[in-house]
Amino acid sequence: MEIFLASLCLLGTFLQCTGQASEFHLEGDYLIGGLFDIHHVSTPVYHDRPEANDCTSQQFLLPNYRRFQLMRFSVEEINNSTNLLPDVSLGYEIFDICSDIQSFPGILKLISVNGLIQTWGEPQKSLLKTIAVVGPFTSTQALTIAPLFMVDFISMVSYGASSSVFSRNQNFPSFFRTVHPNKDVIEVIVKIVQHFNWRWVAFLNSDNDFGSDGREIFMTKIKDTDICLAYTKSLTLQTNYTQTFKQIETQKIHTIIVFAPKMIVEALIDSAIEMNVTNKVWIADDGWSLNKNLPKKEGIKNIGTVIGVSQPVVTIPGFSDFISSAKSQMHCENAEQQIFCNQVCNCSSLGAEDIVTADPTFSFPVYSAVYAIAHALHNALQCRSGRCNRDITVYPHMVSTELKKSNFTLLNHSIRFDENGDPKFGSYSIVFWNHRGDAEEVGFYHFHPWISFFINNTKIKWYTNGKVPTSLCSVECPVGFAKEHIGIHKCCFNCEISQKFFKLLQNFTDNYLFLITSCQLRVVEYIPFTDIGAILIMVGAWVLVGLTLAMSVVFAINYNTPVVRSAGGPMCFLILGCHSLCSISVFFHFDKPTSSFCFFRLFPFILFYTVCLACFVVRSFQIVCIFKIAAKFPNLNSWWMKYHGQWLIITVAFVIQALIHLIGYSNDPPKPYNDTASYPDKIILACDINITAISCSVVLLVLLCSLCFIFSYMGKDLPKNYNEAKAITFCLLLLILSWILFATVYMLYHGKYIQTLNALAVLSSLYSFLLWYFLPKCYIIIFQPHKNTKQYFQGIIQDYTKTISQ
């Protein structure tokens, strides 16, 4: 009885509507439902009896018809594939849902079996053939029909519904989408607004779930920014746009964000042209940024500059050929077989070129939605080696489970979904409507594998003829004045002379008052590359690199001689190489500081100087070990030799220092800093460094220096040619003296030349070891070769042994 009643309800919804067979139905082993608003009801239609809308009498939307054809193409391409779903055929049942809230006949047919909706209380007599649904396009449509599919975990893969509500997995457990949710496109819009420093904006949204959700997200995103929402309005096709633009003009808003579907936007822009709205920046969402008609409309150039966020246009191979073939075989209006309502399109007058060149937005989302379902079915059927397991009964919830595991590559895109069914792939392009009437790409916003944002400002031709337009409620106050806020917006204020400055004025006589009230800008100071001191230091750095290279050549030629071996052998090349890498830091102490300059001022020097000091620590220890420890602690010596202890110590020191920098700089990276506190009439451009990270790094360097001293002292009485103590000790003293002098000056002086002194201290640290450790050894190799022989070294060791024995 329950089944009969359900069948009666279903019958009543489509009694009044029958249509012609066309491209909406294809038989197959498994069916995919398709929901496309090929036509759109612009005004609500009211009936006095149960009756479905006749979509063919409504406004035809060519871009949506293109997406409909793309689904047909995708299914045909999959059926022709030998890799995906081999020996299994996919079919489809597609419906034109032209109304957001009155499209139930097609929906009920998708969830029925032989015209009957089976209730949970009754045993299932037949298996539901529809395994998943592609669509619908709008958020309102999806919200209306999703509960009917969620009950039986029938997967919905939407190619356009971007409302945030669908990210609630507990409410929509089998809902997936191949477009990013509204929060992502709003994030890009906010980035654009911040990039051009627009602070006084209007947000116009459609009066539906999509638009309201976008507005709420935008208001949340700008809470902690300098952006103020000056005006917002929900739009419909019946909106009085005259009043809307009057409000925008009254509040002197020059940047307008429009978050609405194509039809509303076209009506809005038509009104703007008709009312002669000029000198505005329009920011488009991804639904209309690639509109084919508006950029070529007469008078569009007068409204200002249009930039927008769009989905990257992905070329679908074979689609054009499919359309050409399909149009040549189509006899849409002459079909005689009757199937179901809203499965017909009076579109035989369309040419293949019309369809192919229509707005391509949301094309790849449709394509990837069909392929995601196909891959999920492929996995559910355990398809292997060209065959699928036909004995498996596939229920819709099994397809939903496999969709959550999606991980495949489609046209160089890795298709995956997160735990909420949102895509973990894709990106956005930033486009500008140029004077040719084309949407020209001028930037991008990538989500994966990491977020990156870029706009090429030079490609945008502003209505101001070059200069970026401004959109401010109030102009920034000059030096000496404070903001006094007006009303509720933080962007609106008057500029009043600050109390601190006013008290300063009171301390002077009237004769000086005029001079002081004429505020002068502070002098911005930094050391440019052209400064004589900077040039000398940079030349010194290049000389150091040249010397390290020359010494490396000398050591390489004489690699097997006693002097080179006693100096450390292969370790010498590591020390000299690190010296060259340390010198990189010197060059970043000059010119205007940026985030990268601030990073490289210290990072290369500290990291690679740590390696140098670690090398001297193990070198000192090795010599002491050979002469003093080996005999007393043979096990320690053998362990050291077996496991290459010297390289282990150097690696540990390097890794610890690198981790300190990585942790410290990832939490608080160095950044440019304007020092306004040191001098009342100057701004010193400096770097704000993470003190915690630097402190830990310095502690490690001090520890290594201390170990050098200890081992050097232990080896103070070793043979002269093996005694590194004096050389290392002297180098360390020069190192410490350099930094003590710098620290003393730093505490007393905060001017621009502190960076020159810092670079000089770095260079002094490098030259200390180069000149007092390596240069004497090069001198012996070149000018005293008689001391660079095995016999000479053996004689010194024998004399040392005799001295010790006496």
Side-chain angles (χ1 to χ4, degrees):
M1 183 64 181
E2 291 176 348
I3 296 178
F4 173 77
L5 287 174
S7 174
L8 196 61
C9 293
L10 173 62
L11 183 62
T13 59
F14 62 84
L15 237 176
Q16 300 295 323
C17 181
T18 57
Q20 299 167 328
S22 57
E23 307 157 297
F24 290 76
H25 178 78
L26 178 70
E27 284 295 333
D29 298 326
Y30 299 91
L31 287 185
I32 300 177
L35 304 175
F36 294 84
D37 48 343
I38 300 171
H39 298 83
H40 185 76
V41 176
S42 55
T43 56
V45 179
Y46 300 98
H47 305 287
D48 55 4
R49 58 178 177 172
E51 186 176 355
N53 290 317
D54 180 12
C55 289
T56 55
S57 63
Q58 304 298 327
Q59 182 179 354
F60 176 72
L61 302 176
L62 179 57
N64 296 11
Y65 181 68
R66 186 185 194 274
R67 295 165 201 149
F68 156 77
Q69 290 290 354
L70 196 51
M71 177 175 172
R72 296 183 60 244
F73 164 72
S74 304
V75 172
E76 181 175 297
E77 189 177 58
I78 292 167
N79 285 336
N80 292 331
S81 171
T82 57
N83 297 320
L84 184 59
L85 291 175
D87 74 352
V88 172
S89 64
L90 274 184
Y92 51 74
E93 194 79 62
I94 305 177
F95 295 95
D96 181 4
I97 50 171
C98 53
S99 169
D100 284 345
I101 56 176
Q102 295 177 336
S103 300
F104 283 101
I107 307 304
L108 294 175
K109 186 169 191 303
L110 288 174
I111 61 175
S112 66
V113 179
N114 299 325
L116 301 176
I117 297 177
Q118 300 184 93
T119 59
W120 283 358
E122 297 288 334
Q124 290 191 346
K125 298 178 181 178
S126 301
L127 184 66
L128 186 65
K129 204 169 184 181
T130 304
I131 58 166
V133 176
V134 173
F137 178 58
T138 72
S139 295
T140 302
Q141 290 168 348
L143 279 170
T144 304
I145 65 177
L148 294 173
F149 293 102
M150 297 300 107
V151 168
D152 289 321
F153 281 83
I154 300 173
S155 299
M156 293 176 67
V157 187
S158 176
Y159 54 88
S162 55
S163 177
S164 300
V165 69
F166 298 114
S167 295
R168 300 174 187 167
N169 186 255
Q170 66 274 23
N171 296 337
F172 302 94
S174 58
F175 188 94
F176 302 85
R177 51 184 162 190
T178 50
V179 289
H180 284 271
N182 283 342
K183 66 179 180 67
D184 291 339
V185 71
I186 292 294
E187 175 69 26
V188 184
I189 289 173
V190 171
K191 287 282 187 185
I192 293 172
V193 173
Q194 290 178 318
H195 178 80
F196 294 111
N197 199 29
W198 297 320
R199 302 180 185 177
W200 192 238
V201 302
F203 192 95
L204 306 181
N205 60 277
S206 54
D207 190 13
N208 56 17
D209 299 285
F210 165 76
S212 301
D213 181 62
R215 181 185 60 202
E216 292 300 318
I217 295 172
F218 181 77
M219 293 172 69
T220 302
K221 291 275 187 185
I222 65 173
K223 271 186 179 178
D224 298 322
T225 68
D226 294 329
I227 303 168
C228 292
L229 181 56
Y231 177 75
T232 182
K233 176 73 174 176
S234 296
L235 307 177
T236 65
L237 290 173
Q238 288 74 40
T239 297
N240 185 344
Y241 297 114
T242 303
Q243 291 298 323
T244 300
F245 287 122
K246 280 184 178 179
Q247 287 286 338
I248 290 174
E249 288 296 334
T250 301
Q251 298 192 53
K252 299 179 181 178
I253 303 168
H254 299 295
T255 300
I256 304 172
I257 301 165
V258 184
F259 201 78
K262 172 181 177 288
M263 294 178 65
I264 291 178
V265 171
E266 288 179 348
L268 176 72
I269 299 298
D270 285 342
S271 297
I273 295 172
E274 184 180 340
M275 294 178 58
N276 196 30
V277 176
T278 60
N279 299 339
K280 305 295 180 193
V281 173
W282 303 76
I283 302 180
D285 66 49
D286 57 334
W288 65 278
S289 57
L290 297 182
N291 189 292
K292 294 290 186 179
N293 300 322
L294 285 178
K296 295 177 172 61
K297 188 176 283 289
E298 186 178 353
I300 191 69
K301 296 177 183 177
N302 298 331
I303 68 170
T305 303
V306 180
I307 57 178
V309 181
S310 77
Q311 298 169 18
V313 177
V314 179
T315 302
I316 312 293
F319 179 59
S320 299
D321 295 335
F322 169 81
I323 292 297
S324 299
S325 174
K327 292 305 292 183
S328 65
Q329 301 171 14
M330 223 173 83
H331 303 287
C332 184
E333 295 180 333
N334 299 322
E336 296 179 357
Q337 182 187 359
Q338 294 182 342
I339 294 186
F340 202 77
C341 62
N342 292 332
Q343 286 190 303
V344 65
C345 172
N346 297 324
C347 48
S348 59
S349 60
L350 283 174
E353 186 69 16
D354 298 325
I355 301 171
V356 172
T357 58
D359 183 352
T361 312
F362 301 103
S363 293
F364 187 73
V366 173
Y367 189 65
S368 55
V370 177
Y371 266 87
I373 294 171
H375 276 274
L377 179 60
H378 182 94
N379 294 331
L381 288 170
Q382 299 177 2
C383 300
R384 301 284 189 279
S385 303
R387 295 185 60 82
C388 297
N389 190 346
R390 294 292 193 121
D391 296 330
I392 296 176
T393 302
V394 177
Y395 294 95
H397 69 85
M398 297 167 63
V399 176
S400 178
T401 300
E402 294 300 331
L403 272 169
K404 293 175 182 177
K405 305 175 188 174
S406 294
N407 189 358
F408 63 95
T409 301
L410 184 64
L411 299 183
N412 297 322
H413 290 75
S414 179
I415 309 299
R416 293 185 297 159
F417 300 98
D418 66 15
E419 64 277 6
N420 298 317
D422 293 333
K424 292 178 70 176
F425 60 91
S427 61
Y428 281 115
S429 296
I430 298 166
V431 297
F432 153 69
W433 287 7
N434 60 32
H435 295 309
R436 298 187 303 275
D438 299 321
E440 179 183 350
E441 185 172 339
V442 296
F444 59 78
Y445 188 97
H446 293 163
F447 295 97
H448 303 285
W450 53 77
I451 291 177
S452 57
F453 171 74
F454 171 76
I455 295 180
N456 187 344
N457 297 353
T458 59
K459 284 189 174 183
I460 303 176
K461 309 303 178 188
W462 302 104
Y463 65 82
T464 52
N465 295 323
K467 188 177 180 182
V468 177
T470 59
S471 189
L472 303 170
C473 180
S474 301
V475 180
E476 285 296 315
C477 296
V479 178
F481 289 79
K483 297 177 182 178
E484 185 176 318
H485 289 283
I486 307 169
I488 61 172
H489 293 294
K490 57 191 174 186
C491 302
C492 302
F493 47 82
N494 288 327
C495 294
E496 303 288 343
I497 191 165
S498 68
Q499 291 298 316
K500 182 179 179 181
F501 191 69
F502 184 72
K503 289 179 181 177
L504 177 65
L505 296 180
Q506 290 178 327
N507 293 331
F508 292 86
T509 64
D510 291 341
N511 292 334
Y512 290 94
L513 186 59
F514 176 77
L515 293 175
I516 295 185
T517 53
S518 60
C519 299
Q520 294 183 352
L521 293 175
R522 295 188 181 200
V523 177
V524 178
E525 291 192 347
Y526 62 93
I527 302 297
F529 284 124
T530 54
D531 181 81
I532 185 64
I535 292 173
L536 291 174
I537 289 175
M538 287 188 290
V539 169
W542 282 115
V543 170
L544 182 137
V545 173
L547 284 174
T548 57
L549 181 61
M551 290 179 180
S552 298
V553 171
V554 171
F555 276 46
I557 294 172
N558 300 273
Y559 182 74
N560 292 316
T561 61
V563 168
V564 175
R565 305 300 291 181
S566 68
M571 203 175 291
C572 294
F573 300 104
L574 177 61
I575 297 172
L576 291 170
C578 286
H579 265 61
S580 296
L581 292 172
C582 286
S583 66
I584 294 173
S585 292
V586 171
F587 299 95
F588 291 93
H589 282 78
F590 309 111
D591 207 47
K592 288 184 179 180
T594 62
S595 296
S596 56
F597 268 52
C598 291
F599 177 79
F600 284 106
R601 279 187 182 182
L602 288 177
F603 180 73
F605 172 71
I606 292 179
L607 185 65
F608 295 111
Y609 208 73
T610 299
V611 177
C612 293
L613 287 178
C615 289
F616 284 114
V617 168
V618 298
R619 181 66 197 138
S620 302
F621 176 77
Q622 280 179 311
I623 294 173
V624 171
C625 182
I626 290 171
F627 284 95
K628 293 192 173 185
I629 299 178
K632 297 180 181 179
F633 304 100
N635 291 335
L636 176 61
N637 183 60
S638 62
W639 181 91
W640 180 272
M641 299 297 293
K642 180 180 180 181
Y643 293 103
H644 303 285
Q646 68 273 28
W647 300 112
L648 184 63
I649 296 297
I650 293 168
T651 303
V652 168
F654 175 78
V655 170
I656 291 174
Q657 191 67 276
L659 286 174
I660 291 172
H661 279 273
L662 180 64
I663 295 170
Y665 286 170
S666 60
N667 293 328
D668 185 15
K671 50 187 174 293
Y673 165 68
N674 294 342
D675 180 9
T676 57
S678 299
Y679 300 94
D681 58 341
K682 296 178 183 179
I683 298 176
I684 308 298
L685 301 187
C687 289
D688 186 14
I689 306 295
N690 185 339
I691 298 300
T692 304
I694 289 299
S695 300
C696 295
S697 298
V698 171
V699 167
L700 179 59
L701 290 172
V702 170
L703 175 63
L704 293 173
C705 283
S706 302
L707 290 174
C708 273
F709 270 118
I710 292 170
F711 292 130
S712 297
Y713 179 78
M714 290 175 64
K716 65 182 185 301
D717 56 347
L718 293 178
K720 181 180 178 182
N721 278 39
Y722 281 94
N723 191 352
E724 313 280 333
K726 290 182 181 179
I728 294 177
T729 302
F730 187 69
C731 294
L732 290 173
L733 286 174
L734 284 178
L735 170 68
I736 294 169
L737 181 62
S738 299
W739 288 102
I740 288 177
L741 288 173
F742 172 74
T744 304
V745 174
Y746 185 81
M747 286 168 34
L748 301 175
Y749 170 72
H750 299 286
K752 65 177 181 179
Y753 290 106
I754 198 68
Q755 298 305 327
T756 303
L757 296 175
N758 195 347
L760 192 61
V762 170
L763 207 57
S764 174
S765 304
L766 299 175
Y767 269 110
S768 61
F769 281 104
L770 199 68
L771 297 180
W772 301 105
Y773 184 82
F774 287 104
L775 192 60
K777 296 178 179 1
C778 290
Y779 179 82
I780 292 175
I781 291 172
I782 298 171
F783 298 107
Q784 295 180 337
H786 63 280
K787 294 183 179 180
N788 190 18
T789 61
K790 289 183 180 179
Q791 294 79 3
Y792 183 80
F793 271 70
Q794 287 173 352
I796 292 176
I797 293 173
Q798 290 172 0
D799 293 341
Y800 172 76
T801 305
K802 291 178 182 178
T803 304
I804 293 298
S805 60
Q806 292 175 358

